[in-house]
Amino acid sequence: MDGVAQPVGTAQGVIVVGAGIGGLTAAVTLAGAGVPVTLIEADAVTGGKLRAVPSDAGPVDCGPTVLTKRHVFDALFSRLGLRLDDHVTLHRADTVARHWWPDGAALDLTSDAGANETAVRAALGSRAALDYARFEAETQAMHDAFAAPVMHAPRPSAAGILAATLRRPALIPALLKPNLAAYLNARFCDPRLRQLFGRYATYVGGAPNASPAVLALIWQAERAGVWTVEGGLSALAAALTQVAERLGATVLTGAPVAEVLRNGPRAAGVRLASGLELRAPHVVFAGDPAALLPKGDVTGAARAIRRNATHPRSLSANVWSFAAAVEGPVLAHHTVLFADSPNSEFEDIARGRLPRDPSFYICAQDRPVDPATGPAPLERFEIIANAASTDVHTQTPQETAQCHRKMLTRLASFGLTLSPEPTVADLATPHRFAARYPGSHGAIYGRSPHGVTASFRRPTAETRVPGLWLAGGGTHPGAGVPMAALSGMHAAEAILRVQTSTLRSRRTAMPGGTSTA
């Protein structure tokens, strides 16, 4: 094998592969505990899916746009003796999301359940408001019941889930619904509210008519608070990278990993695509775990996980990132333009087709506008439409152009015009995601959430290869910025547990690290 073996740190060293949010939180947790860490990223910058592209108005996000559960990051920084607010500037969004329907109905939802009930009554009527109030109480109970045994546990606990359900037997009828769409159909008389809350399945890459009813609790994660980050969510990744370096971690960028090295049955380091070998007794793989499967993009760990831990794949997306001036109805930071038909896009995706009638989500990165200065001449936008992963549908260039026209037509139907109009060059397709994220097939949420057992099949931090650990959105507890962050902390804590007897005490000083391109 080519390359020169390079020791990393001491016998307690850890290599973290992938500097997305999961890899970053694993790295800072380990480095903060005094463990020598080398963080390796294939891209030229850290962040993984929390990335930005240049525009005439500055860097514009082209990945996740919603930050919920900020307490996860407050706790992470506090553990390191730091404050999150000293590293990034967060603003709580007054409007969780603005929703527009083709029939002219509009609804803003906030973090205030009472205000939401009033808004639903004004927009959609008294019966819809009563339905919302019932839904609000029920999903809050779901969230309270399942946060500990599912989202915050190192692995989903069947016993914990059963105990939580038995403590709240009123939830049982809801959880027995075959899918989220069936649950919402039984809760809402107004199809627009079914469409609105059904979209939360897409937050983890699923369709509402195939995802478990329990995903309705995602609404509570959002209602508890949506935060915007000055500079975009990529600024959060940059802040975590700086903290990792200050804690002594070595950060290597522009360094794709080709192989997980083994010493007998154990992981023993990695070989880079350049041929360079880096050795360590623990490796955290924070890319898409599907890359580790036989015939995957990263060799040496073919038996680490089962195929059903990563397949079937989740949804992908068509994503535009650009700067433009906008005219028309006032956008919130998060605005959803709903399709005429609530379900047709998911039916088309399941059949391996480009959606004929998709909904579009708009992140207006520079909203809300400062009333003292008004809107900037150019604002930064990210627009997202659901799509199939590349193993379900091969999107042709003609379909990409068709999708682009649909987006512009849909915006125009709601009275929105952009100047200059974005071009197809501003559009990231499922194929571009597949090329950027090895093993993903363009699926940007990892394993599909479809089926009642999906959360139990998703891989956890520990693999079947000793010394090889997993983190990232493809690992339990799943997709989303706070969930990926928790996965990194789970992996780090698992390593710390096995090293308890030899770890040195946690650092109080913050030595400088190195960043090498």
Side-chain angles (χ1 to χ4, degrees):
M1 189 177 297
D2 295 334
V4 179
Q6 299 288 329
V8 176
T10 69
Q12 297 174 343
V14 178
I15 293 171
V16 180
V17 179
I21 198 71
L24 285 165
T25 57
V28 298
T29 302
L30 290 163
V35 177
V37 175
T38 298
L39 178 61
I40 303 173
E41 170 56 43
D43 206 347
V45 295
T46 60
K49 294 187 178 74
L50 266 67
R51 52 187 293 269
V53 294
S55 78
D56 290 341
V60 55
D61 280 341
C62 52
T65 63
V66 174
L67 180 63
T68 59
K69 292 184 173 292
R70 71 161 284 174
H71 63 84
V72 170
F73 294 95
D74 283 320
L76 172 65
F77 277 75
S78 177
R79 176 176 182 164
L80 300 170
L82 306 172
R83 293 178 65 252
L84 175 64
D85 289 331
D86 291 335
H87 293 80
V88 290
T89 301
L90 302 179
H91 301 284
R92 186 164 184 154
D94 294 329
T95 301
V96 168
R98 181 160 290 164
H99 308 89
W100 292 338
W101 285 271
D103 64 4
L107 177 64
D108 282 5
L109 293 179
T110 71
S111 295
D112 186 324
N116 289 340
E117 186 177 344
T118 300
V120 171
R121 182 176 292 107
L124 306 177
S126 297
R127 174 62 189 277
L130 291 173
D131 289 345
Y132 169 79
R134 178 190 180 191
F135 173 82
E136 176 65 41
E138 199 163 74
T139 53
Q140 183 64 65
M142 282 186 194
H143 186 274
D144 293 345
F146 299 125
V150 179
M151 289 182 283
H152 294 280
R155 62 178 63 247
S157 166
I161 292 169
L162 177 61
T165 304
L166 292 176
R167 286 194 296 270
R168 296 172 174 85
L171 290 177
I172 294 175
L175 298 176
L176 291 178
K177 294 295 181 184
N179 54 58
L180 178 61
Y183 168 73
L184 296 174
N185 288 342
R187 293 298 176 276
F188 292 112
C189 63
D190 194 306
R192 290 166 293 193
L193 289 180
R194 300 174 197 163
Q195 188 177 22
L196 189 162
F197 291 108
R199 81 182 182 90
Y200 284 95
T202 68
Y203 276 35
V204 291
N209 59 358
S211 300
V214 72
L215 290 185
L217 64 77
I218 296 175
W219 158 243
Q220 290 300 328
E222 193 161 271
R223 190 186 67 76
V226 168
W227 301 84
T228 64
V229 184
E230 281 194 13
L233 275 176
S234 57
L236 177 60
L240 285 167
T241 304
Q242 292 169 0
V243 169
E245 291 176 327
R246 290 175 63 193
L247 289 167
T250 297
V251 181
L252 304 178
T253 57
V257 168
E259 182 180 0
V260 175
L261 300 176
R262 304 279 284 272
N263 181 8
R266 290 191 57 87
V270 299
R271 179 174 60 83
L272 305 184
S274 65
L276 180 67
E277 293 183 7
L278 303 174
R279 300 280 177 169
H282 293 281
V283 175
V284 178
F285 187 80
D288 194 310
L292 299 177
L293 293 174
K295 300 182 181 179
D297 297 79
V298 177
T299 62
R303 291 184 293 277
I305 55 173
R306 295 180 174 88
R307 181 178 172 81
N308 67 2
T310 62
H311 288 72
R313 304 300 290 164
S314 73
L315 297 179
S316 185
N318 284 294
V319 180
W320 294 259
S321 301
F322 60 94
V326 62
E327 293 185 0
V330 177
L331 295 166
H333 193 90
H334 305 293
T335 303
V336 182
L337 310 182
F338 283 114
D340 296 299
S341 169
N343 301 316
S344 70
E345 67 177 305
F346 302 110
E347 294 168 354
D348 286 340
I349 288 171
R351 293 187 175 102
R353 299 193 303 225
L354 182 74
R356 292 162 294 175
D357 181 28
S359 295
F360 290 93
Y361 161 80
I362 304 173
C363 176
Q365 189 173 320
D366 298 306
R367 299 288 172 127
V369 171
D370 185 342
T373 60
L378 291 178
E379 298 183 59
R380 293 169 289 180
F381 294 97
E382 181 177 354
I383 299 179
I384 303 174
N386 294 314
S389 59
T390 59
D391 60 347
V392 173
H393 175 63
T394 301
Q395 185 170 302
T396 66
Q398 293 78 12
E399 286 177 318
T400 297
Q402 180 185 1
C403 179
H404 183 69
R405 291 192 298 271
K406 284 179 184 291
M407 183 272 290
L408 295 174
T409 301
R410 176 63 67 180
L411 265 63
S413 73
F414 283 92
L416 294 167
T417 58
L418 299 167
S419 179
E421 287 188 345
T423 69
V424 173
D426 299 310
L427 171 57
T429 65
H431 287 277
R432 288 179 64 181
F433 288 120
R436 177 170 287 276
Y437 305 114
S440 70
H441 294 279
I444 55 181
Y445 309 92
R447 190 193 192 280
S448 167
H450 293 173
V452 294
T453 63
S455 63
F456 291 95
R457 297 186 183 279
R458 189 182 293 273
T460 59
E462 187 174 3
T463 74
R464 294 187 290 178
V465 173
L468 177 63
W469 312 85
L470 300 179
T475 304
H476 172 78
V481 176
M483 300 297 100
L486 284 169
S487 77
M489 287 183 263
H490 291 333
E493 287 159 1
I495 293 171
L496 294 175
R497 281 195 295 271
V498 303
Q499 291 190 339
T500 298
S501 61
T502 55
L503 276 175
R504 57 183 189 266
S505 60
R506 178 183 161 201
R507 302 179 182 192
T508 54
M510 295 184 63
T514 60
S515 180
T516 306

